[in-house]
Amino acid sequence: MSSAGEDPDPREVGWSASMNALGEFIRAQRQLAKLSLREMAAMTSVSNAYLSQVERGLHQPSLKVLQKIADALQLSTEQLLGQAGWATGSPTSASPSASSTEEAIRSDPRLSAEQRAALLSVYHSFVKGD
């Protein structure tokens, strides 16, 4: 509940959830790669403070930063763009069931951040050609 009596803007809530999911994915991938924030900062030429804020969902990184992060984590930029909610294909390419499947994975409290990231990565690899 908002103390001002106003409901939050759904776009802001969606952006926040998207940035949190992206940050969790990046953190999980960095941890799976056994990289510290400091090591990833050196590999990307992005400050470790900024990377920490991205991982916590406090900043929306630019495409250039996402490309550097993807390179450091040996991922495709498309995987990170998908996690950020930035479609790389046509807007009609994602089916409603795809977004509900992704949301179900992201919101399942039984999964760790690493498990969510792994499931989303596998899911995206299967539906990539759709």
Side-chain angles (χ1 to χ4, degrees):
M1 276 186 226
S2 174
S3 60
E6 295 180 20
D7 290 331
D9 184 338
R11 291 171 295 185
E12 289 180 23
V13 172
W15 178 87
S16 179
S18 176
M19 288 304 97
N20 286 335
L22 174 65
E24 288 175 11
F25 179 78
I26 291 170
R27 178 181 293 123
Q29 294 301 310
R30 177 179 58 78
Q31 291 171 340
L32 288 171
K34 299 189 183 337
L35 292 172
S36 69
L37 264 176
R38 197 169 287 171
E39 290 168 325
M40 194 157 95
M43 294 172 74
T44 60
S45 301
V46 175
S47 76
N48 59 339
Y50 185 79
L51 288 174
S52 174
Q53 291 174 343
V54 168
E55 285 187 357
R56 290 181 285 141
L58 301 176
H59 282 288
Q60 179 177 13
S62 68
L63 178 58
K64 186 175 182 179
V65 169
L66 280 176
Q67 288 171 326
K68 289 179 178 185
I69 291 171
D71 288 345
L73 296 174
Q74 298 179 347
L75 299 171
S76 71
T77 305
E78 288 76 23
Q79 285 176 293
L80 288 184
L81 290 173
Q83 289 296 317
W86 297 337
T88 56
S90 66
T92 59
S93 66
S95 68
S97 63
S99 61
S100 62
T101 301
E102 292 172 5
E103 187 55 38
I105 293 170
R106 286 189 185 106
S107 64
D108 192 325
R110 299 169 295 176
L111 300 172
S112 68
E114 292 84 8
Q115 290 168 326
R116 285 186 193 106
L119 279 172
L120 286 167
S121 181
V122 169
Y123 177 72
H124 288 148
S125 73
F126 281 113
V127 298
K128 190 177 190 179
D130 288 351

